[in-house]
Amino acid sequence: MNPEPDYSAAYVIVRTGGGQEGHGLAFTVGRGNEIAVAAVESLAPLVTGRPVAEVLGDLGGVSRRLTADSQLRWLGPEKGVIHMAAGAVLNALWDLRARRAGKPLWLLLSELTPEEIVDVVDFRYLEDALTREDALAILRAAEPGRAERRARLLAEGYPAYTTTPGWLGYTDDKLARLAEEAVADGFRQIKLKVGADLSEDVRRVRLAREVVGPDVRIAVDANQAWNVGQAITWLAPLAEFDLYWIEEPTSPDDVLGHAAIRHRVAPIKVATGEHAHNRVMFKQFLQAGAIDILQLDAARVGGVNENIAILLLAAKFGTPVCPHAGGVGLCEMVQHLAMFDYVAVSGTAEDRVIEYIDHLHEHFTDPVVIRDGRYVAPARPGGGAEMRPASRAEYAYPNGPQWAANTVAGAAGAV
Amino acid sequence: MNPEPDYSAAYVIVRTGGGQEGHGLAFTVGRGNEIAVAAVESLAPLVTGRPVAEVLGDLGGVSRRLTADSQLRWLGPEKGVIHMAAGAVLNALWDLRARRAGKPLWLLLSELTPEEIVDVVDFRYLEDALTREDALAILRAAEPGRAERRARLLAEGYPAYTTTPGWLGYTDDKLARLAEEAVADGFRQIKLKVGADLSEDVRRVRLAREVVGPDVRIAVDANQAWNVGQAITWLAPLAEFDLYWIEEPTSPDDVLGHAAIRHRVAPIKVATGEHAHNRVMFKQFLQAGAIDILQLDAARVGGVNENIAILLLAAKFGTPVCPHAGGVGLCEMVQHLAMFDYVAVSGTAEDRVIEYIDHLHEHFTDPVVIRDGRYVAPARPGGGAEMRPASRAEYAYPNGPQWAANTVAGAAGAV
């Protein structure tokens, strides 16, 4: 489904008059990045020129202003480019707030009171599943254990799984070697891409199972390749290899389709969410019993604010959140949400794992650290999205040296 | 929800080397129009420079190329700005094809064979509800009656309803006068906006019912104002006035919410669709029994192609399609879809009405004609989206004379 990604981002910096910065980004896979940039530019007037304290002190209000502007919302509402851009701006503001507080975002969020947390959430359209009072009850129940879990998180990190061995097109040798390395590195779950060729998938999953043994979880990811019937048919011959979850079996919009698939492929769990566009979709995935695993994404929905709503929904329904990552900066950003969830929302990391892909971390000022198959809790202030200035300069489109060098060879592919 | 619309459009013209043109547009309500323009510009390379006959002879393939580009689809997939832009380009191509055939679009579509029709539809993700074979059966069943219905359509037109009397903020006198005029003009249904103030709504709906009498249908439109519980509570005191439908009671993404509302407010029918972003959402609205009335929109989804899929889904489920219109050019465009549906898909206009608002038609080269509360079938070649060159010049952003004149008085509102 994504055969030739050209990892890109609409990169947002909010600057105070005093020169402080907050960084956020909307991840894209190449063409179309310029549309996300246009959307960020259209949103900018809604936040620029206002007092910093007023903006950072009311990120719930700012979130509402960005997502409910009476004209811009027509382009969604709350979906697609305009919503991804709103999320990038909000993430940049949260990054700025965390930097000013001198804390990593996960810690900043984990030290807010339950009332401060619900104040940044837009409960509109959620109340049939989650009210403000429900959310407060969840957060208050988690309060007594915050300190203990924070200490444990700092000591032990947060569990991860790796997609590194599982890309389509790898030779069997490479798949086996990378799967073996993953287990040696401490990962207790790996993920393989599937959906291009069934007999290849059977062979690859069998091989992976032989290499990792019976105790390491194997998830598979179809990247929306199937309709409902195809998903059920395709998974049947793979079931014998004890799959843990099937990810994105069909259209990310198809709540009822996921529910039908889940009913038929159990005990294989159904996971989705990286393309679910807002909290109303997640609400329905949960209400319909359509998913076993909720995969939020740091750069698809309306930023930290909406992801807090999604974490609260998942906690209400008792559904584990296993965030999507990879791309550029998604690991760096999403770890903060999972760690906040552990400390202050769901209060558990059981059956929770953050995706990890060993790719492009060198471009970030605070790259993720993986130790024994676990994310080490970041200590530096901020939300994780800041790219190194040298990387930004090198890859800036269209005038960065990398683009200038490549344009000679292939102008048609240079967007 | 849309308090200050500044009716706008990302306007698309496809031009052949021989100078023929096809026109399409993505309707917006002001700010953000520039993002839709950016999206159209990003899609343009996917169709420009190719042989005209190849493009127009394979609009199914072109549709797939525009909506499934492996990089651009990340911005949706198939939703929001990128999808609206794809729809505008596809509508422009259909307009060109109809002009070259010398036929209005509804007639061009109605003369295609069932096989030619299904060839332009993307059945991906629909097959659990509608297969290609299902669609062929629907279209073949309607074939014998095509000629008779076409003759009747040309003689009698297609039923309309009017939203002209029902805007919030009108005085009672104005509401009563416009409602009276609507009935005198032959409309058998009017629509009122609701959701700002319940006691006002009760008063306005009562007044409207007194004026139009018991036999004219009154629909109400909440423009997404409520959550599920609020919708049910708000509608209870309005039920005594025999409402025909409640439109957009809640989030356009909330299939399950609409189903819950429908279950509780019957016999008031539930209608939605103007913001439903693609065929997968419509599939679910139908599968979940969430709507009584399906309101497709000409400029929200992936153009004529996806709207044909939606018409076929509605026919499969036996659900009446009552298209959304208004805005700029929506009446002009959507009438073609409803008339095609009547002649060649559902084969009936019973309980079907196209929305009509008496606004901005003077800017179009083939403005809709309403006679005795019915749309007169357009006779001129094309799909209806062409704006008069003088209007385009006058209102072009940012250099048209209208913008230049207004910029002096209010630059901040000039986007």
Side-chain angles (χ1 to χ4, degrees):
Chain A
M1 193 60 89
N2 308 312
E4 297 175 308
D6 183 3
Y7 287 177
S8 305
Y11 194 84
V12 178
I13 303 176
V14 292
R15 266 193 205 92
T16 69
Q20 289 177 307
E21 293 183 352
H23 296 243
L25 60 84
F27 170 61
T28 74
V29 293
R31 283 185 299 279
N33 195 68
E34 66 284 2
I35 311 171
V37 171
V40 169
E41 286 169 352
S42 297
L43 288 167
L46 300 180
V47 289
T48 53
R50 298 180 55 209
V52 176
E54 184 187 306
V55 170
L56 297 185
D58 180 28
L59 287 176
V62 173
S63 162
R64 191 61 188 267
R65 197 168 305 119
L66 288 168
T67 60
D69 176 84
S70 74
Q71 295 186 356
L72 290 168
R73 79 182 292 284
W74 189 268
L75 304 181
E78 299 186 69
K79 61 178 66 72
V81 174
I82 193 70
H83 205 45
M84 293 165 73
V89 173
L90 284 164
N91 284 343
L93 291 170
W94 279 102
D95 181 63
L96 175 61
R97 182 167 161 181
R99 284 162 191 266
R100 285 166 64 97
K103 294 176 183 173
L105 179 62
W106 70 266
L107 183 59
L108 175 91
L109 293 173
S110 302
E111 291 179 349
L112 297 178
T113 67
E115 289 74 15
E116 288 171 325
I117 295 170
V118 297
D119 280 349
V120 303
V121 169
D122 186 356
F123 287 94
R124 185 165 213 170
Y125 304 134
L126 294 187
E127 291 96 335
D128 56 322
L130 178 80
T131 64
R132 182 183 163 93
E133 290 65 41
D134 294 336
L136 281 171
I138 290 165
L139 294 165
R140 286 178 185 143
E143 258 188 314
R146 282 184 181 188
E148 186 194 328
R149 286 189 297 274
R150 174 182 155 179
R152 182 179 294 187
L153 175 67
L154 289 168
E156 301 177 3
Y158 194 102
Y161 75 94
T162 177
T163 309
T164 298
W167 299 91
L168 295 172
Y170 283 4
T171 63
D172 284 3
D173 281 354
K174 185 166 184 181
L175 166 58
R177 176 171 54 79
L178 292 173
E180 210 166 353
E181 283 175 15
V183 176
D185 288 344
F187 291 101
R188 306 301 297 157
Q189 179 178 329
I190 65 170
K191 190 168 78 185
L192 274 61
K193 301 284 184 182
V194 296
D197 181 293
L198 179 54
S199 60
E200 283 279 297
D201 288 347
V202 170
R203 198 171 47 74
R204 293 166 61 244
V205 175
R206 174 180 288 125
L207 174 61
R209 176 56 75 202
E210 287 169 5
V211 171
V212 303
D215 297 331
V216 170
R217 288 172 172 170
I218 299 177
V220 293
D221 181 355
N223 285 109
Q224 314 165 27
W226 305 315
N227 67 26
V228 172
Q230 289 165 334
I232 294 163
T233 307
W234 200 287
L235 289 167
L238 294 174
E240 66 172 294
F241 306 110
D242 187 21
L243 298 184
Y244 187 59
W245 78 51
I246 170 62
E247 176 171 329
E248 286 206 308
T250 190
S251 164
D253 295 332
D254 201 348
V255 174
L256 301 179
H258 280 82
I261 293 166
R262 180 176 179 235
H263 180 67
R264 292 290 298 277
V265 305
I268 301 172
K269 297 179 188 296
V270 169
T272 199
E274 69 176 273
H275 283 86
H277 55 264
N278 63 31
R279 69 197 180 285
V280 178
M281 296 304 291
F282 282 105
K283 179 186 76 164
Q284 293 177 88
F285 276 110
L286 295 165
Q287 287 176 315
I291 54 173
D292 299 280
I293 307 285
L294 188 157
Q295 300 180 297
L296 60 73
D297 182 282
R300 170 72 55 185
V301 302
V304 170
N305 303 66
E306 192 161 34
N307 268 321
I308 294 176
I310 292 163
L311 290 171
L312 287 163
L313 280 165
K316 173 83 186 291
F317 283 83
T319 298
V321 173
C322 298
H324 170 250
V328 280
L330 299 182
C331 298
E332 277 72 15
M333 290 192 282
V334 87
Q335 61 180 337
H336 291 274
L337 298 168
M339 292 174 187
F340 160 63
D341 177 66
Y342 171 62
V343 175
V345 186
S346 74
T348 175
E350 196 177 326
D351 287 334
R352 272 91 172 156
V353 272
I354 306 171
E355 184 167 19
Y356 174 69
I357 303 174
D358 185 12
H359 192 41
L360 300 177
H361 303 292
E362 66 276 18
H363 297 295
F364 288 81
T365 58
D366 191 16
V368 293
V369 177
I370 301 287
R371 194 174 299 150
D372 294 333
R374 302 171 77 92
Y375 277 79
V376 175
R380 289 179 57 175
E386 189 187 9
M387 280 189 203
R388 294 172 54 237
S391 294
R392 281 185 263 147
E394 182 76 13
Y395 290 92
Y397 178 81
N399 296 321
Q402 281 289 335
W403 285 103
N406 288 329
T407 304
V408 179
V415 175
Chain B
M1 194 59 90
N2 309 310
E4 297 176 307
D6 184 3
Y7 286 177
S8 306
Y11 194 84
V12 178
I13 303 176
V14 292
R15 266 193 206 92
T16 69
Q20 289 178 307
E21 293 182 351
H23 296 243
L25 59 84
F27 171 60
T28 75
V29 294
R31 284 186 297 279
N33 196 69
E34 66 283 3
I35 310 170
V37 171
V40 170
E41 286 169 352
S42 297
L43 289 167
L46 299 179
V47 289
T48 53
R50 298 179 56 209
V52 176
E54 183 187 307
V55 170
L56 298 185
D58 180 27
L59 286 176
V62 173
S63 162
R64 190 61 188 267
R65 197 169 305 120
L66 288 168
T67 60
D69 176 85
S70 74
Q71 295 186 356
L72 290 168
R73 79 182 293 284
W74 189 268
L75 304 181
E78 299 187 70
K79 61 178 66 71
V81 174
I82 193 70
H83 205 46
M84 293 165 71
V89 172
L90 284 163
N91 284 343
L93 291 170
W94 279 102
D95 181 63
L96 175 61
R97 180 165 161 182
R99 285 162 191 265
R100 286 165 63 98
K103 293 175 184 173
L105 178 62
W106 69 266
L107 183 60
L108 175 91
L109 294 173
S110 302
E111 292 179 348
L112 297 177
T113 66
E115 289 74 13
E116 287 171 328
I117 295 170
V118 298
D119 279 349
V120 303
V121 169
D122 186 355
F123 287 93
R124 186 165 212 170
Y125 304 135
L126 295 188
E127 290 95 337
D128 55 324
L130 178 81
T131 64
R132 182 184 163 94
E133 290 64 41
D134 294 336
L136 281 171
I138 290 165
L139 294 165
R140 286 178 183 143
E143 259 189 313
R146 283 185 180 186
E148 185 194 327
R149 285 189 298 273
R150 175 181 155 182
R152 183 179 291 188
L153 175 67
L154 289 168
E156 300 176 3
Y158 194 101
Y161 75 93
T162 177
T163 309
T164 299
W167 299 91
L168 294 172
Y170 283 3
T171 63
D172 284 3
D173 282 355
K174 186 167 183 179
L175 166 58
R177 176 171 56 77
L178 292 173
E180 212 166 353
E181 284 176 14
V183 177
D185 289 344
F187 290 102
R188 307 300 297 157
Q189 179 176 327
I190 64 170
K191 190 169 78 186
L192 273 60
K193 300 285 184 181
V194 296
D197 181 293
L198 178 55
S199 60
E200 282 279 298
D201 287 348
V202 170
R203 200 170 46 76
R204 293 166 61 243
V205 175
R206 175 181 286 124
L207 175 62
R209 177 55 75 203
E210 286 169 5
V211 170
V212 304
D215 297 332
V216 170
R217 287 172 171 169
I218 299 178
V220 294
D221 182 355
N223 285 109
Q224 313 167 26
W226 306 315
N227 67 27
V228 172
Q230 290 165 334
I232 294 164
T233 306
W234 199 288
L235 288 167
L238 294 174
E240 65 172 295
F241 305 111
D242 188 21
L243 298 184
Y244 186 58
W245 79 50
I246 170 63
E247 177 171 330
E248 286 206 309
T250 190
S251 164
D253 295 331
D254 200 348
V255 173
L256 301 179
H258 279 82
I261 293 167
R262 180 174 178 236
H263 180 66
R264 292 289 298 276
V265 305
I268 301 173
K269 296 179 188 297
V270 169
T272 200
E274 68 175 274
H275 283 87
H277 55 263
N278 63 33
R279 68 197 181 285
V280 178
M281 296 304 291
F282 281 106
K283 179 187 77 164
Q284 293 177 89
F285 277 110
L286 294 165
Q287 287 176 316
I291 54 172
D292 299 280
I293 306 285
L294 188 157
Q295 300 181 297
L296 59 74
D297 181 283
R300 171 72 55 184
V301 301
V304 169
N305 303 67
E306 191 161 36
N307 268 320
I308 294 175
I310 293 164
L311 290 171
L312 287 163
L313 280 164
K316 174 84 186 289
F317 283 84
T319 298
V321 174
C322 298
H324 170 250
V328 280
L330 299 183
C331 298
E332 277 71 16
M333 289 192 283
V334 86
Q335 61 179 339
H336 291 274
L337 298 168
M339 293 175 187
F340 160 62
D341 177 65
Y342 172 62
V343 175
V345 186
S346 74
T348 176
E350 197 177 323
D351 287 333
R352 272 91 171 154
V353 272
I354 305 171
E355 183 166 21
Y356 174 69
I357 303 174
D358 186 12
H359 192 42
L360 300 176
H361 303 293
E362 66 276 18
H363 297 296
F364 288 81
T365 57
D366 190 16
V368 294
V369 177
I370 300 289
R371 194 174 298 152
D372 295 334
R374 300 170 78 91
Y375 276 78
V376 175
R380 290 180 56 175
E386 190 188 6
M387 280 190 203
R388 294 172 54 237
S391 294
R392 280 185 262 147
E394 182 75 14
Y395 291 91
Y397 178 82
N399 295 322
Q402 282 288 335
W403 285 103
N406 288 330
T407 303
V408 178
V415 176

